[in-house]
Amino acid sequence: MLVSIVIPCYNSEHTIGRVVELAIEEFKKMNDYECEFVLVNDYSRDNTWQAIHTLTEKYPNVKGINLAKNFGQHNAIMAALHYTKGEFIVGMDDDMQNHPSQIPQFLDKMQEGYDIVFGVFKERKFSVIKNITGAISRFLLWHLLDRPKDIQMSSFWCCRRYVRDEVVKYEGYNTFLQVLFFRTTHNIANIEIEHYAREVGTSNYNFRRGLKLFMSCLNFTVIPLRVSTILGTLFSAAGFIGALAVLIQKILNPAVAIGWSSLMCAMLVLFGFCFLMLGIIGEYLGKAILNINKTPQYVIRDKENIEDTCGEKQKDL
């Protein structure tokens, strides 16, 4: 059985070769599987594309894709998925924290009949700040998205071919891969895996990139709009009741002074809430406009070891 391994690469010239070679060694130990790789250079600032080119020269089962600009991790994975041929597809990172030695565990779990398997780290070897922001993000996504109970997401996963076939039908600009998985199937499992320490460099995900990825989930849920409707109704009801109470109090005791500070506090709270809801609606409108004007998920500049429409392999650099 062919297993396709898709890896989005960003500033990983010193690690991507090691990831590929360790994965190949793992597959040599398994008689029932063979592998191919689809490596996507997401407009790295170092020599990642040259490292990928070297791998495609050395290994005929390694495919390389070079994007014309930085489109983000999930969009890069979408580019890779279009060129996979395996019955199973494994997605992993390029920094050795998703270690190739864990791949057999995914394949064993898939043989139990699951459509998707996510790896859950026993111990997350991130910085304190990233662990905190990650926990907040997981909590919010848990309540915003429709997914099976007790299933955790991660960037290390394995899915079946039919799931990939459904996922690549999505043409929107903002991609959140795991949400596309949940829209396809709920036959999903978790396995516990080791989280290895980063060997080279630091995480490429800063706060801005993480927030952008989190906000992309608005493409797949209307819960924030429903929450705004509910809160707007509650605020309006509270304001009406409060105004009625003030009116009754004024009638019963005309000497009671109406406080300016309390009025300003109420206005600040209500206007703050209104602007927050307008911001959420603006996010939805902005994303709708980006999708309507056909903003591309990705643009491919070069390909390596990938057959074109004429059946010939491209070897560009």
Side-chain angles (χ1 to χ4, degrees), residues 10 16 35 62 64 68 78 107 117 136 166-167 189-190 197 207 218 220 224 244 246 254 267 298 306 308 313:
Y10 185 72
I16 187 58
C35 66
V62 175
M78 287 292 285
L107 302 180
V117 175
I136 295 173
E166 290 299 318
V167 166
N190 282 139
F207 178 78
L218 294 182
F220 309 96
L244 186 61
V246 170
M267 291 180 63
Y298 56 87
I306 292 178
D308 60 15
K313 287 189 176 180

Side-chain angles (χ1 to χ4, degrees), residues 16-34:
I16 187 58
R18 181 73 172 152
V19 171
V20 170
E21 290 170 355
L22 287 176
I24 290 175
E25 290 300 318
E26 288 297 325
F27 276 90
K28 287 180 178 179
K29 303 174 186 177
M30 298 182 286
N31 297 324
D32 297 331
Y33 299 99
E34 57 183 3

